[in-house]
Amino acid sequence: MHVRAVRGFLLCVAAVAAATGCRASGANTSADTMSVAGTRIGTAPPNDKDGEWLLPARDYASSRYSGLAQITPANAKNLHVSWTFSTGVLRGHEGQPLVVGNTMYIITPYPNVAYAIDLTQPGFPLKWKYRPENAQAAVGIACCDVVNRGASFADGKIVYNLLDGHTVAVDAATGTEVWRTKMGDINKGETITMAPIVVKGKVIVGSSGGEMGVRGWIAALDLATGKELWRAYNLGPDADMKVGPRFKPFYPQDRGANLGISSWPGESWKVGGAVVWGWISYDPALNLIYHGTSNPGPWNGSQRPGDNKWSAAIIARDPDTGEMVWAFQPTPHDIWDYDAVNENILVDLPMSGTTRKVLVHFDRNGFAYTMDRATGEVLLAKPFVPMNWSSGVDLKTGRPNVNVDKATAEGKNVKDICPSLEGGKNQQPAAFSPKTGLFYVPTNNLCMDFEGREVTYIAGTPYIGGNAPEKGGPGDYKGEFIAWDAVHGRKVWGIKEPFPVWSGALATAGDVIYYGTLDGWFKAVDAHNGTVLYQFKVGSGVVGAPMTYTGPDGKQYVAVYAGIGGDMGLLIAGDVAANLPYDVRERGTTLPDLARYTSWGGMLFVFSL
């Protein structure tokens, strides 16, 4: 069946209309300029060199903000392609390069090749190339393409994950493998696609495979040796989850012993998902890491009544021990595939006359949460995309008010649920600028029909239990790049796009924001009003995140991968690989015309004035 974008098939709830300006068309929707005073990034980068990029999001706060300011709204029209590099690999190029000193480091999708590029020499030759052992079997097991979301640099090492469940450390100067540690078991359906971060000499790693009936975990490895120091599960008994006397959730319903068992029927928690395939943040002052967890398994909620803790959750842990300090579920008993793995951006914001240490989280469920990052209290939760599964969040409990007409169940085909299982935002990370006080967010405008189906767990095979064809949301657009005010919970401006905006965002002190599109455009826009200052067709769609650095010549450069893939890449008409059999949607129908504008690729583009 050919599913076409619907026009006006649902009415936005009043709260959504107020927050998102839900309407069929339109470009920028703000005044000419807008900023929020009194904001700042909550944590510092691991070093203070604006010209470098050492961590996936540049800093521990996951801000994706750079202090570089040579490129401005006045001169951005003079941007051009400075140089390019082919990765030699097709499929989804998520993540971002690193720049340490005068060397750029690139990690490809499977087979997860690492390149070190010399930025000082004409032609940008390789310093080294590292191709790890990486089991081919992982390709057929990975849920949503064979992506890799990048590496971290620390203590002279490039650290990253392999699709087949290993974590590796490579000498940054020579490309020599320092250590290799097996963390996941592909025979159980575990793969690893996330970007690790390094905190206090510990490499923090999480698992993928939420659609495969795995039991999600997060772990720490010793940076020097690769030895596993601790592992905490997100489901099961308190001892396994590292829940002890320090665990103090803000909301009463989240307190109690062994909730990781009692909120699940029988022993279903053992195959309940809650993996950690997204981004990790860290607050050195509170000594807490923040990570999300994925959907519960299976999608069919009728097989797992209860809150299903701690799936679809945001969790704060002590990085030294893995101890859980607080946890919060944006979507208790998730029955829509609304993973909570999206980034948690750590900022200090003026809330009701007081500066609060908060995290801002744009959840897949369509709500933007402003939360106290010490306690887990929800201070504000507003829709940032058109949505209808909930009428709002009760701040007294933190729980969403569910629209019963959009609740899914086994044998019930529920029509026109918004957002779709891709979420109001998926893996594509947002950015924050302390200059404007705004968050810059790539979003999706997709809806779905959803029918739960009974499914039986078989190790290493899909454990889904649902069918969910997708379609365009209300209006003549399927994505929007927005500026968001997290103090007041409102969209400031937005740029509507014909396809979901699946790239990450980059904010800079030059008041220029960068993002890419699925149909292959790389754009630079004004941070204050969203005016497009420059755009260039890079060929393949952009699903990676832009970054910026200072070259040996003192110039500011902006780099981004072009290489469509990830979950969106599986939906391109005619370009679905036969070795990815596990996508349950009707192939090629969600974005039936995207293949007219792009196809698979694997290229790094670097821009400068």
Side-chain angles (χ1 to χ4, degrees), residues 76-410:
K77 64 180 182 294
N78 298 321
L79 283 167
H80 67 282
V81 176
S82 179
W83 59 279
T84 63
F85 176 80
S86 173
T87 67
V89 180
L90 301 177
R91 310 296 284 271
H93 282 61
E94 294 182 358
Q96 56 290 304
L98 301 179
V99 169
V100 183
N102 290 322
T103 304
M104 175 182 285
Y105 300 94
I106 291 172
I107 310 297
T108 75
Y110 182 89
N112 305 139
V113 180
Y115 294 104
I117 298 175
D118 189 342
L119 300 177
T120 67
Q121 299 298 316
F124 307 101
L126 293 182
K127 288 186 172 182
W128 51 257
K129 173 183 177 180
Y130 166 73
R131 177 165 179 163
E133 294 183 15
N134 200 346
Q136 176 71 30
V139 174
I141 291 172
C143 158
C144 311
D145 205 2
V146 293
V147 300
N148 183 285
R149 296 186 182 88
S152 287
F153 170 85
D155 193 27
K157 301 177 184 67
I158 298 296
V159 185
Y160 69 100
N161 294 308
L162 308 182
L163 189 69
D164 73 354
H166 288 81
T167 302
V168 296
V170 180
D171 186 288
T174 66
T176 303
E177 183 178 288
V178 179
W179 52 257
R180 170 191 173 95
T181 303
K182 182 179 179 180
M183 298 302 295
D185 184 351
I186 59 174
N187 295 315
K188 295 179 180 178
E190 290 181 324
T191 52
I192 305 182
T193 58
M194 57 88 72
I197 68 167
V198 180
V199 172
K200 301 170 69 175
K202 298 176 180 66
V203 181
I204 310 298
V205 178
S207 58
S208 302
E211 271 67 53
M212 305 294 283
V214 302
R215 183 184 175 204
W217 51 262
I218 186 170
L221 303 173
D222 181 78
L223 175 63
T225 66
K227 179 183 178 181
E228 184 174 315
L229 301 175
W230 57 256
R231 182 180 294 233
Y233 289 91
N234 302 314
L235 311 170
D238 284 353
D240 289 2
M241 295 195 301
K242 296 193 178 295
V243 169
R246 292 186 63 188
F247 184 56
K248 296 179 180 179
F250 185 82
Y251 297 100
Q253 75 268 12
D254 294 334
R255 303 169 193 159
N258 293 309
L259 296 178
I261 294 177
S262 62
S263 62
W264 294 80
E267 294 188 337
S268 59
W269 55 269
K270 292 183 177 180
V271 291
V275 297
V276 184
W277 60 266
W279 311 95
I280 300 176
S281 307
Y282 171 57
D283 185 330
L286 295 174
N287 195 36
L288 293 176
I289 57 170
Y290 304 89
H291 70 87
T293 64
S294 80
N295 59 286
W299 288 1
N300 179 9
S302 299
Q303 293 186 224
R304 47 172 175 80
D307 276 0
N308 310 135
K309 300 181 185 303
W310 290 101
S311 65
I314 300 168
I315 298 177
R317 295 184 183 272
D318 185 322
D320 296 319
T321 64
E323 290 176 275
M324 196 183 292
V325 175
W326 62 256
F328 167 74
Q329 282 183 304
T331 315
H333 184 60
D334 168 34
I335 51 177
W336 303 273
D337 191 32
Y338 290 159
D339 302 39
V341 298
N342 292 352
E343 68 285 350
N344 300 294
I345 304 176
L346 312 185
V347 294
D348 299 339
L349 297 182
M351 305 291 295
S352 302
T354 303
T355 298
R356 299 287 296 265
K357 294 182 180 297
V358 306
L359 66 79
V360 176
H361 173 89
F362 297 91
D363 198 77
R364 200 143 136 178
N365 70 13
F367 287 107
Y369 292 82
T370 303
M371 301 175 61
D372 187 301
R373 67 178 182 267
T375 67
E377 177 188 7
V378 178
L379 307 175
L380 190 73
K382 296 291 185 181
F384 66 97
V385 292
M387 53 108 84
N388 62 11
W389 74 276
S390 169
S391 61
V393 174
D394 183 347
L395 295 185
K396 293 181 180 179
T397 64
R399 298 175 75 92
N401 302 313
V402 176
N403 178 357
V404 295
D405 292 335
K406 302 302 178 184
T408 70
E410 185 176 319

Side-chain angles (χ1 to χ4, degrees), residues 43 136 140 191 316 329 341 386 400 436 463 470 476 488 511 518 605:
T43 68
Q136 176 71 30
T191 52
Q329 282 183 304
V341 298
T436 63
Y463 186 56
E470 299 176 77
D476 293 319
H488 302 99
D511 286 336
L518 280 180
F605 282 80

Side-chain angles (χ1 to χ4, degrees), residues 53-86:
W53 196 284
L54 309 185
L55 293 178
R58 189 174 181 274
D59 54 30
Y60 283 134
S62 291
S63 75
R64 296 185 181 265
Y65 173 79
S66 170
L68 299 184
Q70 288 183 10
I71 303 169
T72 68
N75 61 25
K77 64 180 182 294
N78 298 321
L79 283 167
H80 67 282
V81 176
S82 179
W83 59 279
T84 63
F85 176 80
S86 173

